[in-house]
Amino acid sequence: MWYSDYMKYIFSALYTKEDKGYSVLCPELGVASQGADLKEAEHNIQEAVGLYIEDMSEEELAPYMRVRTEAPLLKTFVVSHA
């Protein structure tokens, strides 16, 4: 591994309540996971993203090292269809 444990990267996670637990998506990378509860889902997405970025170059990871001045905005909306 070219990177060390002290490097921090910032990603987003989108959690969706399912029948039995939660699914979670990291939209920046398209990595998904799941868990029985939010804590487990968070742990699992962190692990999945960690494994995914092992093969990424420094250049590919550079955008995720910057501190974001604004958090991502998630909004829901309704569309009516007849």
Side-chain angles (χ1 to χ4, degrees):
M1 255 183 274
W2 60 265
Y3 63 91
S4 62
D5 292 333
Y6 67 86
M7 296 179 95
K8 304 285 184 195
Y9 303 100
I10 301 169
F11 298 101
S12 303
L14 175 62
Y15 296 85
T16 304
K17 178 74 172 123
E18 304 288 343
D19 290 336
K20 295 182 180 179
Y22 290 85
S23 62
V24 58
L25 171 70
C26 173
E28 292 92 346
L29 302 175
V31 175
S33 191
Q34 62 186 26
D37 55 33
L38 284 171
K39 185 175 180 177
E40 182 180 1
E42 180 177 18
H43 171 78
N44 290 345
I45 195 65
Q46 288 174 337
E47 183 178 29
V49 167
L51 292 169
Y52 184 87
I53 68 172
E54 281 185 0
D55 294 329
M56 293 176 72
S57 68
E58 289 184 61
E59 293 79 25
E60 291 172 312
L61 282 169
Y64 307 109
M65 291 179 66
R66 287 186 235 123
V67 175
R68 295 184 184 153
T69 56
E70 294 183 21
L73 176 64
L74 172 64
K75 244 183 114 120
T76 59
F77 59 92
V78 176
V79 174
S80 296
H81 180 66

